[in-house]
Amino acid sequence: MKITNFVDVRRALEPYIARTRVPGAYTLDRQTDLMTFLGNPQDKVHVVHVAGTSGKTSTAYYAAALLTQAGYKTGLTVSPHVDEINERVQINLTPLNEKEFCEDLQTFIGLVEKSGIEPTYFELLVAFAFWEFERRGVEYAVVEVGLGGLVDSTNVVTRKDKVCIITDLGLDHMHILGDTLGEIAAQKAGIIQLRNAVFCYEQSDEAMAPIRTRAKQMQAELRTLTSQTLSRAFDFLPLFQRRNFELSKTAVAFVLERDGKPPLTDAQLLAAAHTKVPARMETLEYKGKTIILDGAHNAQKLHALVASIMQRYPGKKAAALLAFASHGAYRLETAAAELKPIVSHVVATSFHGPQTQDMRDQSVPPELVREACEHAGITVVDVMPKVADAWEALLARPEPILLVAGSFYLMSYVRPLIHD
């Protein structure tokens, strides 16, 4: 089929979504074979590889911004996308325009079909990003892990000069990554390859032990930060974003020193720190309301979000529009408990799909969200299964802050309603 717009892109990628493997069947075999067929473009650019539980996408955006400020032609690939699929292939923080994305994807799919390899949706788009970065002369590519790390499709870079960033770790995707923090940390640490440089915050012993073990096995250089290293120069950022920015800044400073480049100026650092990260405490004024959009979907992410909201808006209450993906049903009560300090009213909604991301997922029934909220002490909860109705109900609330959270999939439903 001819691909001329993003609607065509979604149709063209539909067969690849259908190939998405079931948990327990993840391997790097297909991705490795596909990259070999393509000439291993992932090893022809410098790579900053970002894994973790909380802050992956923000850290990736900040790293790309800092490298761009340093004068490098910088690629960025993230997942999931929030507004449109071209967010997965960015050059100097600008997604490929629709025409370029469609034309290049058409060519790329033709190449893949000739290979005889049948990648999944995510495998295809990871390969496409690396292929584009090589073609466009990218010097550094910032690559966000999709899930885990060890057998994630992005983990095909073999260069020893790869820089690894591991963000804060927590319990998430336990149906795939493991039942304990240690097991999950071992999966995340799997991105560390031979003689890489690795950056992370000092965390619990359970989280750090697998990271230290992997780093030692791979003769990698592990550098850890503490919260005391946070600079007050970036106090305008939400609390959790200060942490993510500082981690990125430290890793990029290492890159610049290693490459013989001058350090970034204060002006360049400030410019990078003002990078807008979609749906990560994204704040806007709309119809006289303060709207905060954040894809936070587990207790750890919601805890960081709530702390940042309380710091920025002390003493103010919020109403929240919530929907959680079905694979996260086990975390509903702990997630709801994190919202209790600021949320006085909840509108629970649902979503089905979307069909344009790595996995077909749907929300847990909103009635379960209501039960979890009530159990956490949030007693005023409305159930409105249709997102459009739930959004209008949220806008009608008197609270000064209106929060939309629980899933990045929910963002793809709400954001078009805001821009109408």
Side-chain angles (χ1 to χ4, degrees), residues 48 59-76 90-95 133 138-142 245 248 252-253 255-256 261-262 264-265 267-269 271-273 275:
V48 175
T59 301
Y61 266 90
Y62 288 137
L66 290 161
L67 289 165
T68 300
Q69 287 292 325
Y72 290 111
K73 188 172 186 179
T74 304
L76 171 66
Q90 302 185 39
I91 308 293
N92 292 344
L93 294 175
T94 301
F133 294 155
V138 161
E139 296 169 274
Y140 269 90
V142 180
F245 184 76
S248 299
V252 171
V255 168
L256 298 182
K261 290 261 192 176
L264 292 171
T265 65
Q268 289 172 318
L269 291 170
T275 298

mmCIF file of all heavy atoms in Angstrom, residues 48 59-76 90-95 133 138-142 245 248 252-253 255-256 261-262 264-265 267-269 271-273 275:
data_model
loop_
_atom_site.group_PDB
_atom_site.id
_atom_site.type_symbol
_atom_site.label_atom_id
_atom_site.label_comp_id
_atom_site.label_asym_id
_atom_site.label_seq_id
_atom_site.Cartn_x
_atom_site.Cartn_y
_atom_site.Cartn_z
ATOM 1 N N VAL A 48 23.552 6.683 23.497
ATOM 2 C CA VAL A 48 23.245 6.805 24.918
ATOM 3 C C VAL A 48 21.968 5.999 25.132
ATOM 4 O O VAL A 48 20.922 6.291 24.552
ATOM 5 C CB VAL A 48 23.027 8.269 25.342
ATOM 6 C CG1 VAL A 48 22.585 8.335 26.798
ATOM 7 C CG2 VAL A 48 24.296 9.086 25.117
ATOM 8 N N THR A 59 14.466 11.550 30.970
ATOM 9 C CA THR A 59 15.924 11.499 30.950
ATOM 10 C C THR A 59 16.446 11.430 29.528
ATOM 11 O O THR A 59 17.439 12.083 29.180
ATOM 12 C CB THR A 59 16.413 10.292 31.772
ATOM 13 O OG1 THR A 59 15.939 10.428 33.118
ATOM 14 C CG2 THR A 59 17.923 10.196 31.784
ATOM 15 N N ALA A 60 15.765 10.669 28.677
ATOM 16 C CA ALA A 60 16.166 10.580 27.272
ATOM 17 C C ALA A 60 16.015 11.930 26.573
ATOM 18 O O ALA A 60 16.905 12.363 25.824
ATOM 19 C CB ALA A 60 15.347 9.503 26.565
ATOM 20 N N TYR A 61 14.898 12.609 26.804
ATOM 21 C CA TYR A 61 14.696 13.932 26.204
ATOM 22 C C TYR A 61 15.784 14.905 26.659
ATOM 23 O O TYR A 61 16.340 15.664 25.859
ATOM 24 C CB TYR A 61 13.323 14.481 26.575
ATOM 25 C CG TYR A 61 12.237 14.203 25.553
ATOM 26 C CD1 TYR A 61 11.461 13.052 25.628
ATOM 27 C CD2 TYR A 61 11.978 15.092 24.518
ATOM 28 C CE1 TYR A 61 10.458 12.791 24.702
ATOM 29 C CE2 TYR A 61 10.978 14.851 23.586
ATOM 30 C CZ TYR A 61 10.222 13.703 23.687
ATOM 31 O OH TYR A 61 9.230 13.451 22.763
ATOM 32 N N TYR A 62 16.080 14.902 27.947
ATOM 33 C CA TYR A 62 17.090 15.829 28.453
ATOM 34 C C TYR A 62 18.473 15.500 27.891
ATOM 35 O O TYR A 62 19.244 16.408 27.541
ATOM 36 C CB TYR A 62 17.110 15.801 29.979
ATOM 37 C CG TYR A 62 15.919 16.455 30.625
ATOM 38 C CD1 TYR A 62 15.281 15.866 31.723
ATOM 39 C CD2 TYR A 62 15.416 17.666 30.152
ATOM 40 C CE1 TYR A 62 14.191 16.466 32.325
ATOM 41 C CE2 TYR A 62 14.313 18.264 30.752
ATOM 42 C CZ TYR A 62 13.696 17.661 31.833
ATOM 43 O OH TYR A 62 12.613 18.258 32.427
ATOM 44 N N ALA A 63 18.808 14.230 27.814
ATOM 45 C CA ALA A 63 20.108 13.853 27.247
ATOM 46 C C ALA A 63 20.222 14.310 25.797
ATOM 47 O O ALA A 63 21.253 14.835 25.370
ATOM 48 C CB ALA A 63 20.307 12.334 27.355
ATOM 49 N N ALA A 64 19.147 14.118 25.031
ATOM 50 C CA ALA A 64 19.150 14.561 23.633
ATOM 51 C C ALA A 64 19.274 16.075 23.537
ATOM 52 O O ALA A 64 19.983 16.612 22.669
ATOM 53 C CB ALA A 64 17.887 14.083 22.935
ATOM 54 N N ALA A 65 18.586 16.788 24.435
ATOM 55 C CA ALA A 65 18.667 18.246 24.436
ATOM 56 C C ALA A 65 20.082 18.723 24.757
ATOM 57 O O ALA A 65 20.607 19.655 24.127
ATOM 58 C CB ALA A 65 17.673 18.817 25.440
ATOM 59 N N LEU A 66 20.704 18.098 25.734
ATOM 60 C CA LEU A 66 22.063 18.484 26.122
ATOM 61 C C LEU A 66 23.064 18.205 25.005
ATOM 62 O O LEU A 66 23.944 19.028 24.710
ATOM 63 C CB LEU A 66 22.460 17.735 27.393
ATOM 64 C CG LEU A 66 21.722 18.180 28.669
ATOM 65 C CD1 LEU A 66 21.815 17.104 29.744
ATOM 66 C CD2 LEU A 66 22.283 19.503 29.188
ATOM 67 N N LEU A 67 22.941 17.054 24.366
ATOM 68 C CA LEU A 67 23.847 16.730 23.254
ATOM 69 C C LEU A 67 23.622 17.667 22.070
ATOM 70 O O LEU A 67 24.570 18.052 21.379
ATOM 71 C CB LEU A 67 23.647 15.272 22.837
ATOM 72 C CG LEU A 67 24.167 14.235 23.831
ATOM 73 C CD1 LEU A 67 23.606 12.846 23.518
ATOM 74 C CD2 LEU A 67 25.698 14.203 23.825
ATOM 75 N N THR A 68 22.380 18.039 21.836
ATOM 76 C CA THR A 68 22.080 18.997 20.773
ATOM 77 C C THR A 68 22.701 20.351 21.097
ATOM 78 O O THR A 68 23.298 21.001 20.221
ATOM 79 C CB THR A 68 20.562 19.141 20.593
ATOM 80 O OG1 THR A 68 20.002 17.865 20.243
ATOM 81 C CG2 THR A 68 20.227 20.144 19.498
ATOM 82 N N GLN A 69 22.556 20.784 22.348
ATOM 83 C CA GLN A 69 23.172 22.041 22.766
ATOM 84 C C GLN A 69 24.693 22.001 22.604
ATOM 85 O O GLN A 69 25.329 23.025 22.323
ATOM 86 C CB GLN A 69 22.814 22.346 24.216
ATOM 87 C CG GLN A 69 21.389 22.795 24.445
ATOM 88 C CD GLN A 69 21.110 24.166 23.858
ATOM 89 O OE1 GLN A 69 21.962 25.046 23.845
ATOM 90 N NE2 GLN A 69 19.893 24.346 23.341
ATOM 91 N N ALA A 70 25.272 20.813 22.746
ATOM 92 C CA ALA A 70 26.724 20.661 22.601
ATOM 93 C C ALA A 70 27.174 20.701 21.149
ATOM 94 O O ALA A 70 28.380 20.707 20.875
ATOM 95 C CB ALA A 70 27.175 19.355 23.250
ATOM 96 N N GLY A 71 26.219 20.739 20.226
ATOM 97 C CA GLY A 71 26.560 20.845 18.814
ATOM 98 C C GLY A 71 26.554 19.549 18.048
ATOM 99 O O GLY A 71 26.861 19.517 16.853
ATOM 100 N N TYR A 72 26.180 18.453 18.706
ATOM 101 C CA TYR A 72 26.074 17.180 18.005
ATOM 102 C C TYR A 72 24.749 17.096 17.251
ATOM 103 O O TYR A 72 23.720 17.585 17.729
ATOM 104 C CB TYR A 72 26.117 16.014 18.997
ATOM 105 C CG TYR A 72 27.444 15.779 19.657
ATOM 106 C CD1 TYR A 72 27.602 16.027 21.021
ATOM 107 C CD2 TYR A 72 28.543 15.298 18.944
ATOM 108 C CE1 TYR A 72 28.817 15.799 21.657
ATOM 109 C CE2 TYR A 72 29.757 15.064 19.573
ATOM 110 C CZ TYR A 72 29.888 15.328 20.927
ATOM 111 O OH TYR A 72 31.089 15.101 21.545
ATOM 112 N N LYS A 73 24.775 16.464 16.096
ATOM 113 C CA LYS A 73 23.525 16.091 15.442
ATOM 114 C C LYS A 73 23.005 14.868 16.181
ATOM 115 O O LYS A 73 23.649 13.818 16.189
ATOM 116 C CB LYS A 73 23.739 15.778 13.959
ATOM 117 C CG LYS A 73 22.432 15.564 13.196
ATOM 118 C CD LYS A 73 22.680 15.448 11.693
ATOM 119 C CE LYS A 73 21.356 15.378 10.935
ATOM 120 N NZ LYS A 73 21.576 15.299 9.466
ATOM 121 N N THR A 74 21.865 15.018 16.825
ATOM 122 C CA THR A 74 21.425 14.032 17.815
ATOM 123 C C THR A 74 20.096 13.411 17.427
ATOM 124 O O THR A 74 19.125 14.114 17.142
ATOM 125 C CB THR A 74 21.280 14.700 19.204
ATOM 126 O OG1 THR A 74 22.520 15.320 19.552
ATOM 127 C CG2 THR A 74 20.900 13.678 20.260
ATOM 128 N N GLY A 75 20.052 12.098 17.444
ATOM 129 C CA GLY A 75 18.809 11.372 17.232
ATOM 130 C C GLY A 75 18.184 11.014 18.569
ATOM 131 O O GLY A 75 18.878 10.879 19.580
ATOM 132 N N LEU A 76 16.884 10.864 18.570
ATOM 133 C CA LEU A 76 16.152 10.444 19.774
ATOM 134 C C LEU A 76 15.032 9.517 19.372
ATOM 135 O O LEU A 76 14.257 9.828 18.452
ATOM 136 C CB LEU A 76 15.572 11.663 20.497
ATOM 137 C CG LEU A 76 14.606 11.376 21.665
ATOM 138 C CD1 LEU A 76 15.336 10.687 22.814
ATOM 139 C CD2 LEU A 76 13.942 12.662 22.150
ATOM 140 N N GLN A 90 13.313 11.297 16.064
ATOM 141 C CA GLN A 90 13.539 12.734 16.163
ATOM 142 C C GLN A 90 15.001 13.058 15.867
ATOM 143 O O GLN A 90 15.898 12.296 16.224
ATOM 144 C CB GLN A 90 13.180 13.231 17.564
ATOM 145 C CG GLN A 90 11.747 12.949 17.973
ATOM 146 C CD GLN A 90 11.385 13.548 19.320
ATOM 147 O OE1 GLN A 90 11.803 14.665 19.638
ATOM 148 N NE2 GLN A 90 10.602 12.816 20.118
ATOM 149 N N ILE A 91 15.204 14.191 15.222
ATOM 150 C CA ILE A 91 16.545 14.711 14.979
ATOM 151 C C ILE A 91 16.629 16.070 15.660
ATOM 152 O O ILE A 91 15.839 16.969 15.355
ATOM 153 C CB ILE A 91 16.860 14.867 13.476
ATOM 154 C CG1 ILE A 91 16.568 13.567 12.709
ATOM 155 C CG2 ILE A 91 18.312 15.318 13.275
ATOM 156 C CD1 ILE A 91 17.468 12.409 13.064
ATOM 157 N N ASN A 92 17.566 16.214 16.579
ATOM 158 C CA ASN A 92 17.693 17.448 17.358
ATOM 159 C C ASN A 92 16.349 17.853 17.957
ATOM 160 O O ASN A 92 15.939 19.013 17.909
ATOM 161 C CB ASN A 92 18.284 18.576 16.511
ATOM 162 C CG ASN A 92 19.742 18.315 16.150
ATOM 163 O OD1 ASN A 92 20.399 17.461 16.751
ATOM 164 N ND2 ASN A 92 20.255 19.043 15.175
ATOM 165 N N LEU A 93 15.663 16.873 18.515
ATOM 166 C CA LEU A 93 14.388 17.031 19.222
ATOM 167 C C LEU A 93 13.224 17.425 18.315
ATOM 168 O O LEU A 93 12.164 17.807 18.805
ATOM 169 C CB LEU A 93 14.519 18.047 20.365
ATOM 170 C CG LEU A 93 15.431 17.633 21.518
ATOM 171 C CD1 LEU A 93 15.575 18.757 22.521
ATOM 172 C CD2 LEU A 93 14.910 16.381 22.210
ATOM 173 N N THR A 94 13.392 17.295 17.025
ATOM 174 C CA THR A 94 12.312 17.573 16.085
ATOM 175 C C THR A 94 11.920 16.275 15.382
ATOM 176 O O THR A 94 12.752 15.685 14.676
ATOM 177 C CB THR A 94 12.737 18.612 15.033
ATOM 178 O OG1 THR A 94 13.112 19.823 15.689
ATOM 179 C CG2 THR A 94 11.605 18.901 14.053
ATOM 180 N N PRO A 95 10.690 15.805 15.552
ATOM 181 C CA PRO A 95 10.262 14.595 14.844
ATOM 182 C C PRO A 95 10.312 14.805 13.334
ATOM 183 O O PRO A 95 10.101 15.921 12.836
ATOM 184 C CB PRO A 95 8.814 14.406 15.328
ATOM 185 C CG PRO A 95 8.733 15.140 16.620
ATOM 186 C CD PRO A 95 9.645 16.323 16.462
ATOM 187 N N PHE A 133 18.777 7.112 11.610
ATOM 188 C CA PHE A 133 19.860 7.854 12.234
ATOM 189 C C PHE A 133 21.153 7.712 11.425
ATOM 190 O O PHE A 133 21.887 8.685 11.241
ATOM 191 C CB PHE A 133 20.080 7.376 13.672
ATOM 192 C CG PHE A 133 18.932 7.678 14.606
ATOM 193 C CD1 PHE A 133 18.725 6.905 15.749
ATOM 194 C CD2 PHE A 133 18.052 8.723 14.347
ATOM 195 C CE1 PHE A 133 17.673 7.191 16.620
ATOM 196 C CE2 PHE A 133 16.995 9.004 15.207
ATOM 197 C CZ PHE A 133 16.802 8.237 16.345
ATOM 198 N N VAL A 138 23.483 11.114 11.915
ATOM 199 C CA VAL A 138 23.413 11.406 13.345
ATOM 200 C C VAL A 138 24.733 11.017 14.010
ATOM 201 O O VAL A 138 25.312 9.977 13.713
ATOM 202 C CB VAL A 138 22.227 10.642 13.977
ATOM 203 C CG1 VAL A 138 22.379 10.523 15.480
ATOM 204 C CG2 VAL A 138 20.918 11.327 13.617
ATOM 205 N N GLU A 139 25.223 11.880 14.904
ATOM 206 C CA GLU A 139 26.462 11.587 15.625
ATOM 207 C C GLU A 139 26.181 10.825 16.912
ATOM 208 O O GLU A 139 26.900 9.894 17.268
ATOM 209 C CB GLU A 139 27.191 12.892 15.928
ATOM 210 C CG GLU A 139 27.642 13.622 14.674
ATOM 211 C CD GLU A 139 28.112 15.035 14.983
ATOM 212 O OE1 GLU A 139 27.257 15.944 15.032
ATOM 213 O OE2 GLU A 139 29.332 15.219 15.179
ATOM 214 N N TYR A 140 25.148 11.252 17.642
ATOM 215 C CA TYR A 140 24.727 10.563 18.856
ATOM 216 C C TYR A 140 23.248 10.226 18.757
ATOM 217 O O TYR A 140 22.447 11.060 18.320
ATOM 218 C CB TYR A 140 24.967 11.419 20.111
ATOM 219 C CG TYR A 140 26.310 11.185 20.740
ATOM 220 C CD1 TYR A 140 27.410 11.944 20.363
ATOM 221 C CD2 TYR A 140 26.496 10.177 21.684
ATOM 222 C CE1 TYR A 140 28.655 11.715 20.917
ATOM 223 C CE2 TYR A 140 27.740 9.937 22.246
ATOM 224 C CZ TYR A 140 28.818 10.703 21.856
ATOM 225 O OH TYR A 140 30.053 10.459 22.403
ATOM 226 N N ALA A 141 22.896 9.016 19.166
ATOM 227 C CA ALA A 141 21.494 8.615 19.237
ATOM 228 C C ALA A 141 21.166 8.308 20.691
ATOM 229 O O ALA A 141 21.863 7.521 21.345
ATOM 230 C CB ALA A 141 21.234 7.384 18.375
ATOM 231 N N VAL A 142 20.126 8.947 21.193
ATOM 232 C CA VAL A 142 19.623 8.653 22.534
ATOM 233 C C VAL A 142 18.462 7.688 22.366
ATOM 234 O O VAL A 142 17.482 7.982 21.669
ATOM 235 C CB VAL A 142 19.178 9.923 23.271
ATOM 236 C CG1 VAL A 142 18.668 9.576 24.663
ATOM 237 C CG2 VAL A 142 20.331 10.915 23.351
ATOM 238 N N PHE A 245 17.029 15.401 35.104
ATOM 239 C CA PHE A 245 17.933 16.294 34.374
ATOM 240 C C PHE A 245 19.360 16.159 34.890
ATOM 241 O O PHE A 245 20.311 16.121 34.099
ATOM 242 C CB PHE A 245 17.461 17.746 34.500
ATOM 243 C CG PHE A 245 18.301 18.713 33.700
ATOM 244 C CD1 PHE A 245 18.156 18.803 32.330
ATOM 245 C CD2 PHE A 245 19.255 19.502 34.325
ATOM 246 C CE1 PHE A 245 18.945 19.676 31.589
ATOM 247 C CE2 PHE A 245 20.047 20.375 33.597
ATOM 248 C CZ PHE A 245 19.886 20.468 32.223
ATOM 249 N N SER A 248 20.976 13.064 33.458
ATOM 250 C CA SER A 248 21.347 13.281 32.056
ATOM 251 C C SER A 248 22.556 14.194 31.942
ATOM 252 O O SER A 248 23.478 13.949 31.152
ATOM 253 C CB SER A 248 20.175 13.898 31.288
ATOM 254 O OG SER A 248 19.059 13.064 31.289
ATOM 255 N N VAL A 252 26.079 13.310 30.066
ATOM 256 C CA VAL A 252 26.519 14.073 28.895
ATOM 257 C C VAL A 252 27.834 14.802 29.191
ATOM 258 O O VAL A 252 28.697 14.920 28.313
ATOM 259 C CB VAL A 252 25.418 15.049 28.442
ATOM 260 C CG1 VAL A 252 25.940 16.012 27.372
ATOM 261 C CG2 VAL A 252 24.228 14.263 27.903
ATOM 262 N N ALA A 253 28.027 15.269 30.411
ATOM 263 C CA ALA A 253 29.313 15.884 30.770
ATOM 264 C C ALA A 253 30.457 14.886 30.577
ATOM 265 O O ALA A 253 31.549 15.249 30.099
ATOM 266 C CB ALA A 253 29.272 16.370 32.216
ATOM 267 N N VAL A 255 30.434 12.422 28.385
ATOM 268 C CA VAL A 255 30.606 12.298 26.933
ATOM 269 C C VAL A 255 31.467 13.428 26.391
ATOM 270 O O VAL A 255 32.401 13.209 25.609
ATOM 271 C CB VAL A 255 29.231 12.282 26.235
ATOM 272 C CG1 VAL A 255 29.391 12.462 24.722
ATOM 273 C CG2 VAL A 255 28.487 10.990 26.527
ATOM 274 N N LEU A 256 31.170 14.652 26.810
ATOM 275 C CA LEU A 256 31.898 15.809 26.292
ATOM 276 C C LEU A 256 33.365 15.757 26.692
ATOM 277 O O LEU A 256 34.259 16.033 25.876
ATOM 278 C CB LEU A 256 31.252 17.100 26.790
ATOM 279 C CG LEU A 256 29.805 17.345 26.368
ATOM 280 C CD1 LEU A 256 29.311 18.683 26.902
ATOM 281 C CD2 LEU A 256 29.659 17.301 24.852
ATOM 282 N N LYS A 261 35.413 17.725 24.030
ATOM 283 C CA LYS A 261 34.563 18.902 23.780
ATOM 284 C C LYS A 261 34.535 19.782 25.024
ATOM 285 O O LYS A 261 34.642 19.294 26.154
ATOM 286 C CB LYS A 261 33.138 18.459 23.451
ATOM 287 C CG LYS A 261 32.998 17.778 22.098
ATOM 288 C CD LYS A 261 32.487 18.773 21.069
ATOM 289 C CE LYS A 261 32.047 18.075 19.792
ATOM 290 N NZ LYS A 261 31.470 19.025 18.830
ATOM 291 N N PRO A 262 34.337 21.081 24.852
ATOM 292 C CA PRO A 262 34.219 21.949 26.033
ATOM 293 C C PRO A 262 32.927 21.668 26.787
ATOM 294 O O PRO A 262 31.939 21.215 26.196
ATOM 295 C CB PRO A 262 34.211 23.365 25.427
ATOM 296 C CG PRO A 262 33.731 23.179 24.021
ATOM 297 C CD PRO A 262 34.253 21.837 23.587
ATOM 298 N N LEU A 264 29.344 22.337 28.654
ATOM 299 C CA LEU A 264 28.231 23.198 28.291
ATOM 300 C C LEU A 264 28.227 24.454 29.163
ATOM 301 O O LEU A 264 28.566 24.411 30.353
ATOM 302 C CB LEU A 264 26.912 22.449 28.456
ATOM 303 C CG LEU A 264 26.667 21.307 27.474
ATOM 304 C CD1 LEU A 264 25.429 20.514 27.874
ATOM 305 C CD2 LEU A 264 26.512 21.832 26.052
ATOM 306 N N THR A 265 27.831 25.561 28.558
ATOM 307 C CA THR A 265 27.722 26.808 29.305
ATOM 308 C C THR A 265 26.438 26.799 30.137
ATOM 309 O O THR A 265 25.534 25.990 29.918
ATOM 310 C CB THR A 265 27.690 28.003 28.351
ATOM 311 O OG1 THR A 265 26.490 27.939 27.562
ATOM 312 C CG2 THR A 265 28.900 28.008 27.423
ATOM 313 N N ALA A 267 24.099 28.912 29.947
ATOM 314 C CA ALA A 267 22.989 29.215 29.030
ATOM 315 C C ALA A 267 22.543 27.963 28.289
ATOM 316 O O ALA A 267 21.341 27.734 28.091
ATOM 317 C CB ALA A 267 23.396 30.306 28.048
ATOM 318 N N GLN A 268 23.490 27.140 27.867
ATOM 319 C CA GLN A 268 23.141 25.893 27.173
ATOM 320 C C GLN A 268 22.441 24.922 28.106
ATOM 321 O O GLN A 268 21.480 24.254 27.719
ATOM 322 C CB GLN A 268 24.411 25.261 26.587
ATOM 323 C CG GLN A 268 24.994 26.020 25.403
ATOM 324 C CD GLN A 268 26.351 25.476 24.988
ATOM 325 O OE1 GLN A 268 27.205 25.164 25.833
ATOM 326 N NE2 GLN A 268 26.567 25.354 23.691
ATOM 327 N N LEU A 269 22.899 24.833 29.341
ATOM 328 C CA LEU A 269 22.256 23.957 30.319
ATOM 329 C C LEU A 269 20.821 24.397 30.584
ATOM 330 O O LEU A 269 19.900 23.567 30.635
ATOM 331 C CB LEU A 269 23.049 23.948 31.622
ATOM 332 C CG LEU A 269 24.420 23.260 31.589
ATOM 333 C CD1 LEU A 269 25.196 23.534 32.874
ATOM 334 C CD2 LEU A 269 24.274 21.758 31.372
ATOM 335 N N ALA A 271 18.880 26.127 28.587
ATOM 336 C CA ALA A 271 18.074 25.860 27.390
ATOM 337 C C ALA A 271 17.639 24.405 27.349
ATOM 338 O O ALA A 271 16.481 24.086 27.048
ATOM 339 C CB ALA A 271 18.867 26.225 26.132
ATOM 340 N N ALA A 272 18.555 23.491 27.668
ATOM 341 C CA ALA A 272 18.223 22.062 27.669
ATOM 342 C C ALA A 272 17.213 21.740 28.763
ATOM 343 O O ALA A 272 16.303 20.930 28.568
ATOM 344 C CB ALA A 272 19.487 21.232 27.852
ATOM 345 N N ALA A 273 17.364 22.380 29.930
ATOM 346 C CA ALA A 273 16.458 22.108 31.049
ATOM 347 C C ALA A 273 15.031 22.561 30.762
ATOM 348 O O ALA A 273 14.087 22.070 31.377
ATOM 349 C CB ALA A 273 16.967 22.780 32.314
ATOM 350 N N THR A 275 13.494 21.989 28.038
ATOM 351 C CA THR A 275 12.901 21.062 27.069
ATOM 352 C C THR A 275 11.543 20.568 27.559
ATOM 353 O O THR A 275 11.398 20.165 28.715
ATOM 354 C CB THR A 275 13.837 19.853 26.850
ATOM 355 O OG1 THR A 275 15.075 20.324 26.310
ATOM 356 C CG2 THR A 275 13.219 18.845 25.889
#
